[in-house]
Amino acid sequence: MMGAYITGTDVAGRIPNSRLAQLTAETGSTVDPDVVDEAVSASEGEVNVYVAKRYAVPVDLIAHPDLAATFRGFVLDVTVYSLHLRRPPVPEDIIR
């Protein structure tokens, strides 16, 4: 599934596959794409709550290219953090 700002592929680019499998799989050792998609969706929703006061959401990153990198980076950070919350403790470098 593709989110409004990021995709599961973006998440996989940030978290090594073996770690992503640990964070998402309830059993086994493969990445659960449904869990990744849920995390992306929840993170995008959280970001949208904050920016809805200023922009129509989801923010059209084509119409606002100056926001694209910032939005994608922020949503990706929130998504990575929320996935790590599934298997605490969250590493210090993720909390930053």
Side-chain angles (χ1 to χ4, degrees):
M1 182 173 127
M2 184 170 166
Y5 308 125
I6 65 169
T7 66
T9 303
D10 295 321
V11 176
R14 176 76 69 91
I15 302 173
N17 193 59
S18 60
R19 181 64 179 145
L20 189 56
Q22 291 172 344
L23 296 171
T24 62
E26 295 304 323
T27 60
S29 60
T30 59
V31 174
D32 185 336
D34 292 335
V35 173
V36 174
D37 288 345
E38 289 171 15
V40 167
S41 180
S43 298
E44 289 183 348
E46 187 173 337
V47 169
N48 284 338
V49 166
Y50 289 100
V51 300
K53 295 175 184 169
R54 183 164 182 189
Y55 298 96
V57 293
V59 175
D60 181 352
L61 298 180
I62 294 172
H64 300 283
D66 53 316
L67 300 176
T70 301
F71 264 68
R72 288 186 179 115
F74 186 66
V75 173
L76 189 53
D77 287 346
V78 173
T79 302
V80 168
Y81 179 77
S82 70
L83 287 169
H84 278 84
L85 283 176
R86 292 175 45 84
R87 306 285 188 262
V90 177
E92 284 297 318
D93 63 318
I94 301 300
I95 295 172
R96 60 180 156 102

